Amino acid sequence: MSDPSLLGSLFRLAHSLKRQTHQQIEQMDLAIAPMHVRVMKIIDGSAPCTANDVVQFLNRDKAQVTRLLKTLIEQDLLQREPNPNDKRSQLLTVTESGAALMQRMAVVDATTYQTMTKGLSADELDAFHRIADQMAQNLAER
Amino acid sequence: MSDPSLLGSLFRLAHSLKRQTHQQIEQMDLAIAPMHVRVMKIIDGSAPCTANDVVQFLNRDKAQVTRLLKTLIEQDLLQREPNPNDKRSQLLTVTESGAALMQRMAVVDATTYQTMTKGLSADELDAFHRIADQMAQNLAER
DNA sequence: GCGAAATGGTTGATAATGTCAACCATGTTT
DNA sequence: AAACATGGTTGACATTATCAACCATTTCGC
């Protein structure tokens, strides 16, 4: 199994999408990167949320997540408050300006999604999503 | 559209696979990275091949590809010879030790592929591949 | 209840990936 | 023949990513 292959296609698609997001962020004149946006989306979509939750979700080193969160907090896109259940931890939420950015990104994302999925049915997209999740789960179960 | 979403699943899958490859390379005690392997597979799978061909295929900056190739040549996994049709360019091929590595990676890849695709039919995998290519093409057409 | 072990998060260091700009030699176009 | 474009290289820098060590806190075992 080699390029061009299923994996090759997957990596090329992921790379294209990452560049798209990067260009969108540049056009918005934001001092963040695609991974920052990704983290905000995770936090925006679930409450309560801790750094460790993001670590688990992204399957990334906690050092990386800590740094991503730090930048977002510095730019007033995220905020943290003490976790009443664990003094070591803080609860993360999106600020008002962060929520505004999430809304702007949602509009852009919808456009990108429409472009990307042209000529593909809802069934095909569902299958793609399901198969991707199945594959990731298979790999995680090793 | 947000995490967890189709894109979220895609990025998580890509990340899992990259880590897999990284661990495999570490276990083989090789001084290269997943992108090096990816480049070798591209070159191994098509002849003749130039740096520019790899640039086009991967959709990456030529600076990055030049550096990846340099490392592989330094480690005698790839070799270059003058392109008879263009003095600016060189033709790239996999060396004997590079070919041996490609064979070892093929075995490992087959195992990973089997793990990853467990519970999925050939039709589903074909659909996944086709949809991924369609999406990448849609994005490239902007 | 106390000590050991584990956990949540931070920081330093380093690796991998990635792009931009400037440059040189060569090829193509006008 | 000059201008423009291209293939490849290098410097600089950005983004993504992990490992190790550390501190404060929580959990576990006795």
Side-chain angles (χ1 to χ4, degrees):
Chain A
M1 167 186 56
S2 63
D3 279 83
S5 66
L6 186 148
L7 299 200
S9 299
L10 178 68
F11 287 131
R12 277 201 293 283
L13 177 55
H15 178 248
S16 291
L17 284 162
K18 191 165 287 183
R19 282 191 62 106
Q20 283 273 324
T21 305
H22 190 265
Q23 280 156 13
Q24 286 153 5
I25 290 169
E26 269 197 332
Q27 277 173 8
M28 289 178 178
D29 228 6
L30 295 163
I32 57 176
M35 282 305 288
H36 289 112
V37 175
R38 207 169 154 200
V39 165
M40 285 182 71
K41 283 173 176 175
I42 292 170
I43 294 167
D44 198 27
S46 68
C49 188
T50 67
N52 189 47
D53 291 332
V54 179
V55 165
Q56 299 306 319
F57 191 91
L58 286 174
N59 191 26
R60 295 294 200 280
D61 192 84
K62 51 193 179 180
Q64 179 186 10
V65 172
T66 290
R67 293 188 166 99
L68 291 167
L69 293 174
K70 188 181 181 191
T71 299
L72 291 169
I73 290 167
E74 280 169 355
Q75 297 190 27
D76 194 39
L77 295 170
L78 280 191
Q79 65 197 356
R80 48 167 45 126
E81 57 199 43
N83 184 348
N85 299 327
D86 190 337
K87 283 207 185 81
R88 296 170 294 181
S89 167
Q90 298 91 32
L91 298 185
L92 303 159
T93 52
V94 178
T95 61
E96 274 185 33
S97 56
L101 172 59
M102 286 292 91
Q103 281 174 1
R104 290 171 67 194
M105 287 305 302
V107 173
V108 175
D109 283 346
T111 306
T112 299
Y113 189 80
Q114 219 135 45
T115 302
M116 180 181 76
T117 59
K118 194 172 180 182
L120 294 165
S121 70
D123 281 343
E124 289 176 306
L125 296 174
D126 281 345
F128 185 87
H129 196 161
R130 181 176 50 78
I131 297 168
D133 282 342
Q134 174 83 48
M135 288 180 175
Q137 186 174 329
N138 287 345
L139 291 175
E141 278 170 6
R142 287 195 84 161
Chain B
M1 165 184 56
S2 65
D3 279 84
S5 67
L6 187 147
L7 298 201
S9 300
L10 179 68
F11 286 131
R12 276 202 292 283
L13 177 55
H15 178 248
S16 291
L17 284 162
K18 190 166 286 185
R19 282 193 63 108
Q20 282 274 324
T21 305
H22 190 264
Q23 280 156 13
Q24 286 154 5
I25 290 169
E26 268 197 331
Q27 277 174 8
M28 292 179 177
D29 229 5
L30 295 163
I32 57 177
M35 281 306 287
H36 289 111
V37 175
R38 207 169 155 198
V39 166
M40 284 182 71
K41 284 173 178 174
I42 293 168
I43 293 167
D44 198 28
S46 68
C49 188
T50 66
N52 189 45
D53 292 332
V54 179
V55 165
Q56 299 306 320
F57 191 92
L58 286 174
N59 190 26
R60 295 294 199 283
D61 192 84
K62 52 193 180 180
Q64 179 185 10
V65 171
T66 290
R67 291 188 168 101
L68 290 167
L69 294 174
K70 188 182 182 195
T71 299
L72 291 168
I73 290 168
E74 281 170 352
Q75 297 190 28
D76 193 39
L77 295 169
L78 281 190
Q79 66 196 358
R80 46 163 50 122
E81 57 198 44
N83 184 349
N85 300 327
D86 190 337
K87 285 206 185 81
R88 296 171 295 181
S89 168
Q90 298 91 31
L91 298 184
L92 303 159
T93 52
V94 178
T95 60
E96 272 184 36
S97 55
L101 172 59
M102 286 291 90
Q103 280 174 1
R104 290 171 67 196
M105 288 304 304
V107 173
V108 175
D109 282 345
T111 304
T112 298
Y113 187 80
Q114 218 135 47
T115 300
M116 181 181 75
T117 58
K118 194 172 180 181
L120 295 166
S121 69
D123 281 344
E124 289 176 306
L125 297 173
D126 283 343
F128 185 87
H129 197 161
R130 180 177 51 78
I131 298 168
D133 282 340
Q134 175 82 48
M135 288 179 173
Q137 186 172 331
N138 287 345
L139 291 175
E141 277 170 9
R142 283 193 90 159

